[in-house]
Amino acid sequence: MPPGQTSDVPRGGNGECTQAEAQRGEIVLVIVGERINTSRKRVNEAVEKREAAYIQEDVKSQLEAGADLIDINAGSRLNSEVDDLAWLIDIVQSTVPEVRLCIDSPNPGSIRSVLHVVERPPMLNSTTAEKDRFEAMSEIIQSTDCDIVALCIDDKGIPKNAEQALDTAARLVSDLESLGVKRERIYIDPVIQAVSTNTNAALIALEAIEGIRRKLPGANVICGLSNVSFGLPKRHLVNRAFLALAMRAGLSAAIVDPLDKKLMGTLRATTLLLGQDRWCQDYIRAFRKGWLEA
Amino acid sequence: MAGELVKLLSELKEQEALNFVEKALAEGVDPMELLGDARDGMNIVGQKFATEEYFIPDLVFSGEVLKGIVKILEPHLKKDEKTERLGKVVIGTAAGDIHDIGKDLVVFMLDVNGFEVHDLGIDVPAQKFVDTIKETGSKVVGLSGFLTLAFQSMKDTVDAITEAGLRDDLKIMIGGGQIDEQVRSYTGADAYGKDAMEAVKLAKGWIGGR
């Protein structure tokens, strides 16, 4: 069963989705840990020098802090992306065999080349509604058991308003379903724009999230948090405020740095305020572990 | 009174700046002088952006204020004054990439600094660059890209320009969040810039010394 759905399987690290929650049909935010990305200097160095221990420790701490999936991205390593991805996947799986991975590359070919080393059904990040990209990803999606991130981008580009995003989302869901992908395995990314160039960008995104959840019931909505604050000072503050709003709008998964205590604190506090943390147990447990930072 | 508009615009005082322009025109101030002041004001905004005193929204806002000023000035400018430009720059986000914020800032700063900018938009195929260079006779090309896959497209675009026989007296600059010297050398571009002000500096160095 994919994460994000009702389940009585314990969730990694940050507490369990309780039986009661499962019965009420609650959905808990799925955390995709974003740290293993070679555009980060230290990770790039570790990949370059094949420092398995550094990567393994980082992944363990992400899972400990509440990550449900670990994103693996080596896209910045132009000439060695496939080899590097394969190495990363291998060392992460060897240290945490139960880990679920999110294979992250803009190149469908790279994703295809590393799939055979992935042990558990991965999340694939990502397809779009662009004709070429969708076709290239279709083959891969049909060949494997996976969750799929689908960006609301088509050949006309990024949606300019919530309606356009919703249109693209509906097309993506129907096209993916016709490939045999179950709706609950689809994670729509409405592609959040920066408020620094459009004051209404966050409002548009929130409207898109609400619309997708309402009009495409069962489909998940995922997003990264850092785009929204691009070009602003103290970006993390804006990211955190957006996370809370997006969760209320119906966000089902977020690609974040689970070691960012302030962000994770906001996430837990918001979960609690949305009535999804029974007797505040997850929040209090996180406090005891020293994971909460105001 | 000279310099007042520079100050108002650089401090993003929209209404005051617009009012000042109206008033100055009514008092017979040369519209070209006001346009020059506006340009100087925008340069200060650009500098403050480069030193991180100002942020992207400030820059975009200053552009809106400038638009308002130009709209008031336009009917008072002679035709040749409007079209006087330093040189032509072709710019676009490389094929496969759709990020436009950085590119738009560069377009904006080049425009403000007097270049004639041909903005090809996002996800621009190499051939489109080649065609536009031929059509416009531009001597500077700017390639933008944030995604790592844009690096390959940038290289492909530089190669296409070379194959079309246009590379020799042409300068190519690249920019984008993750661009560094390594990427520049991979793509075969002449230079890379960290921000929009650097793009202006590069273009001025190549074709627009003033």
Side-chain angles (χ1 to χ4, degrees), chain A:
Chain A
M1 183 172 291
Q5 304 307 305
T6 56
S7 163
D8 52 9
V9 177
R11 301 172 70 241
N14 68 337
E16 301 174 4
C17 176
T18 65
Q19 199 67 40
E21 276 169 351
Q23 281 159 7
R24 289 205 310 270
E26 298 283 2
I27 288 174
V28 180
L29 195 74
V30 173
I31 308 295
V32 181
E34 69 184 2
R35 296 173 55 85
I36 305 301
N37 186 325
T38 54
S39 67
R40 297 179 61 226
K41 270 207 183 92
R42 185 58 185 92
V43 172
N44 187 53
E45 195 187 316
V47 170
E48 182 77 46
K49 297 182 184 161
R50 292 293 189 255
E51 292 173 62
Y54 175 82
I55 302 289
Q56 288 164 336
E57 279 316 302
D58 191 290
V59 167
K60 278 189 212 158
S61 36
Q62 289 191 67
L63 291 168
E64 164 86 3
D68 298 295
L69 289 96
I70 297 295
D71 191 273
I72 308 269
N73 184 328
S76 68
R77 297 181 56 82
L78 296 171
N79 299 317
S80 57
E81 186 193 9
V82 170
D83 287 348
D84 294 337
L85 275 177
W87 177 75
L88 282 165
I89 292 166
D90 181 49
I91 60 158
V92 172
Q93 287 179 154
S94 70
T95 184
V96 195
E98 69 278 13
V99 73
R100 286 201 64 219
L101 299 176
C102 176
I103 312 300
D104 190 350
S105 172
N107 310 309
S110 304
I111 295 180
R112 190 191 307 117
S113 304
V114 299
L115 268 189
H116 67 280
V117 294
V118 181
E119 281 161 11
R120 290 168 65 92
M123 177 181 271
L124 304 184
N125 190 3
S126 55
T127 188
T128 67
E130 293 163 297
K131 195 165 169 291
D132 294 350
R133 175 99 165 251
F134 190 84
E135 269 170 24
M137 285 301 295
S138 294
E139 216 183 297
I140 301 168
I141 292 164
Q142 282 175 305
S143 74
T144 181
D145 188 21
C146 63
D147 291 349
I148 178 77
V149 176
L151 308 183
C152 288
I153 299 173
D154 62 15
D155 289 310
K156 282 178 283 179
I158 292 177
K160 296 198 168 47
N161 53 49
E163 271 162 46
Q164 272 181 31
L166 207 51
D167 278 356
T168 311
R171 243 182 306 137
L172 279 164
V173 167
S174 114
D175 290 352
L176 285 167
E177 282 182 332
S178 61
L179 294 178
V181 181
K182 291 217 173 65
R183 190 174 279 206
E184 63 264 27
R185 308 209 71 168
I186 301 172
Y187 287 75
I188 299 288
D189 185 331
V191 189
I192 288 145
Q193 303 284 317
V195 283
S196 57
T197 53
N198 176 356
T199 307
N200 290 322
L203 272 179
I204 291 170
L206 295 170
E207 225 180 281
I209 295 170
E210 275 174 20
I212 293 165
R213 293 309 295 266
R214 202 173 50 239
K215 295 195 174 152
L216 300 165
N220 300 286
V221 183
I222 190 167
C223 71
L225 292 176
S226 51
N227 264 6
V228 74
S229 62
F230 182 82
L232 288 171
K234 303 278 180 199
R235 291 180 67 173
H236 290 277
L237 182 57
V238 180
N239 296 347
R240 290 199 295 270
F242 179 75
L243 173 65
L245 290 166
M247 286 173 70
R248 174 59 178 144
L251 190 71
S252 24
I255 303 172
V256 300
D257 176 0
L259 302 193
D260 179 340
K261 285 185 178 178
K262 288 184 175 175
L263 181 82
M264 292 301 281
T266 298
L267 192 154
R268 290 196 164 93
T270 307
T271 305
L272 165 78
L273 293 172
L274 291 175
Q276 292 178 7
D277 180 6
R278 191 164 160 262
W279 299 118
C280 314
Q281 287 300 290
D282 184 49
Y283 183 83
I284 294 169
R285 184 165 40 234
F287 167 72
R288 288 203 191 100
K289 294 217 174 197
W291 289 342
L292 297 186
E293 210 171 276

Side-chain angles (χ1 to χ4, degrees), chain B residues 3-154:
Chain B
E4 179 69 15
L5 182 59
V6 180
K7 188 166 181 290
L8 289 173
L9 181 52
S10 67
E11 288 172 3
L12 305 177
K13 293 184 172 156
E14 183 179 35
Q15 204 49 53
E16 288 173 69
L18 296 178
N19 291 344
F20 177 84
V21 172
E22 297 270 18
K23 196 170 126 249
L25 278 176
E27 286 168 10
V29 177
D30 179 4
M32 275 310 279
E33 189 188 317
L34 292 168
L35 195 62
D37 282 359
R39 203 166 271 175
D40 291 346
M42 292 302 293
N43 263 321
I44 295 176
V45 172
Q47 282 156 20
K48 287 189 174 185
F49 176 66
T51 57
E52 289 174 26
E53 187 182 334
Y54 275 5
F55 296 91
I56 289 175
D58 295 316
L59 209 51
V60 180
F61 180 35
S62 72
E64 263 185 41
V65 180
L66 178 70
K67 254 188 229 163
I69 293 172
V70 170
K71 207 172 154 196
I72 300 171
L73 291 178
E74 208 141 43
H76 303 273
L77 293 171
K78 293 188 209 97
K79 200 161 188 179
D80 57 332
E81 290 175 338
K82 272 184 258 178
T83 52
E84 188 199 356
R85 291 279 162 174
L86 284 181
K88 294 173 186 171
V89 181
V90 173
I91 192 165
T93 301
D97 200 335
I98 49 164
H99 287 86
D100 58 4
I101 295 180
K103 186 231 358 139
D104 287 350
L105 293 177
V106 173
V107 168
F108 172 70
M109 288 310 293
L110 287 170
D111 185 54
V112 163
N113 280 278
F115 288 92
E116 178 181 330
V117 187
H118 295 265
D119 180 4
L120 302 181
I122 54 174
D123 192 10
V124 181
Q127 189 57 40
K128 177 90 185 154
F129 280 101
V130 171
D131 293 345
T132 313
I133 296 163
K134 281 186 190 158
E135 277 162 32
T136 60
S138 293
K139 294 295 169 217
V140 173
V141 173
L143 300 173
S144 172
F146 181 73
L147 297 179
T148 48
L149 70 84
F151 305 163
Q152 184 59 45
S153 306
M154 287 177 175

Side-chain angles (χ1 to χ4, degrees), chain B residues 9 16 48 56 75 78 100 156 161 163 171 173 180 192 201:
Chain B
L9 181 52
E16 288 173 69
K48 287 189 174 185
I56 289 175
K78 293 188 209 97
D100 58 4
D156 295 345
I161 292 170
E163 272 160 41
K171 294 290 188 184
M173 57 183 173
D180 55 16
Y192 76 99
K201 218 181 283 172

